[in-house]
Amino acid sequence: MRPLIIIGDGGHAAVCCDLAHACGREVSGMIGYLDEAEALRGIDPATVELVNGVGSIGTRQSQMNRRKVYERLTAVDFRFAVLTHPSAVIAQAVVLEPGCVVMAGVIIQTR
């Protein structure tokens, strides 16, 4: 598996880092989302996977920040990992798309 780089450097990013470790993944770094383009310059997208650790305070604008990071970086061929905590319960019919992070104790049912 490729090492992970977490986009974001606040509380949500720290929780994503803990999640990555719980999944047995190597985290090679955390970078602020306002400067991710510069921080990722020179890194071959095929050598890492990203985790979107950009936090949200519940407003539509802050939620859009996560989406913008995802769109901006997938447009230049970076891939986002799917992370599922070992304690999460996920129904068989559920499909987790790239960039999905499922935290500890979560239950996802089909309906």
Side-chain angles (χ1 to χ4, degrees):
M1 277 192 234
R2 294 179 276 184
L4 301 173
I5 296 176
I6 298 175
I7 308 299
D9 56 4
H12 182 63
V15 173
C16 288
C17 186
D18 288 343
L19 171 60
H21 290 135
C23 294
R25 299 292 302 270
E26 174 191 351
V27 176
S28 63
M30 296 173 70
I31 57 175
Y33 86 96
L34 295 177
D35 59 356
E36 86 277 350
E38 181 63 31
L40 292 172
R41 189 180 317 268
I43 295 177
D44 180 357
T47 64
V48 297
E49 286 185 293
L50 304 180
V51 176
N52 198 336
V54 176
S56 172
I57 55 172
T59 66
R60 180 149 172 78
Q61 180 59 44
S62 65
Q63 293 167 1
M64 291 302 294
N65 289 340
R66 277 190 197 158
R67 181 183 195 112
K68 288 177 184 175
V69 166
Y70 179 86
E71 291 172 349
R72 193 166 47 240
L73 294 173
T74 55
V76 292
D77 298 326
F78 280 98
R79 292 179 46 185
F80 282 80
V82 174
L83 297 178
T84 304
H85 193 277
S87 70
V89 178
I90 301 173
Q92 283 185 324
V94 172
V95 176
L96 301 176
E97 298 290 335
C100 186
V101 293
V102 181
M103 302 298 184
V106 169
I107 299 172
I108 302 176
Q109 299 174 331
T110 53
R111 297 181 191 214

